[in-house]
Amino acid sequence: MQRFVEYMNAVDGTRSWPEVEPLFGEAFHPDATYETADGMLSFSQWREMAKGLVERGAVISGFELKTSDGTHAVWRLTLTTG
């Protein structure tokens, strides 16, 4: 969880993708799938989406873990794009 929080805090609108990418790699498992409002994403799709957001100056705030059972996690956050 600590690595995930570090990644969320790094998406602050001031950092470049090369700065954030190592934290992304530690926070998200490459074999997992990620469900978004737009549907299911693979790790590579999730990574590309995150990269694009960081490159546009996105800011993550208001992070809150809603549920976690060891297999699934649901979180809520505010994402503001630049």
Side-chain angles (χ1 to χ4, degrees), residues 7-53:
Y7 166 75
M8 292 290 172
N9 288 333
V11 182
D12 64 2
T14 67
R15 299 182 189 180
S16 67
W17 180 246
E19 293 174 289
V20 175
E21 184 176 22
L23 297 171
F24 179 90
E26 291 180 10
F28 298 100
H29 195 282
D31 293 336
T33 55
Y34 302 90
E35 185 174 356
T36 71
D38 297 327
M40 299 299 287
L41 302 176
S42 68
F43 176 80
S44 62
Q45 291 168 318
W46 183 248
R47 182 186 169 282
E48 287 305 307
M49 182 188 70
K51 178 181 178 186
L53 289 168

Side-chain angles (χ1 to χ4, degrees), residues 15 25 38 56 74 76:
R15 299 182 189 180
D38 297 327
R56 290 193 311 267
V74 176
R76 174 182 227 148

